[in-house]
Amino acid sequence: MLKLMVPATLLLVCSTSFAQTPPPAQQQSAVQPKAKQRVICHDEGEIGSRLASRRVCLTEDQWRQREQDDKDNLAERQRRSPR
């Protein structure tokens, strides 16, 4: 009897996992996916070293956002610095 219960239980568990809703990527078929963006890579020098560098690869939007964040941070530091 036990020999029949184990396979039956496994079959029941597996069949319920297949009956679940599809993943969110398949559910949102009405939403337009973003256009694929070009990835741009730059070598950035490490602070404190003349030779070490690291390669940073980001999309165009990410580079723009990073540049804007840097400008905002600089403006905030300049605003807060004592004169």
Side-chain angles (χ1 to χ4, degrees):
M1 184 73 154
L2 184 61
K3 289 182 181 180
L4 291 175
M5 288 181 62
V6 173
T9 305
L10 287 174
L11 183 62
L12 180 64
V13 170
C14 291
S15 65
T16 57
S17 66
F18 290 121
Q20 293 177 355
T21 59
Q26 293 176 356
Q27 289 178 350
Q28 298 176 358
S29 60
V31 178
Q32 290 288 346
K34 273 190 144 182
K36 191 168 186 173
Q37 293 188 13
R38 186 171 62 135
V39 176
I40 302 169
C41 296
H42 291 278
D43 290 326
E44 293 185 343
E46 294 287 332
I47 294 176
S49 174
R50 291 181 292 146
L51 302 176
S53 66
R54 64 185 175 128
R55 190 155 185 90
V56 179
C57 298
L58 301 170
T59 64
E60 291 176 280
D61 287 345
Q62 289 171 326
W63 280 114
R64 272 191 231 104
Q65 183 63 45
R66 188 174 186 194
E67 184 178 354
Q68 186 61 46
D69 291 344
D70 290 345
K71 287 179 183 179
D72 293 345
N73 287 335
L74 178 62
E76 181 66 22
R77 285 179 184 235
Q78 288 176 340
R79 188 181 64 81
R80 288 186 178 195
S81 69
R83 295 184 185 226

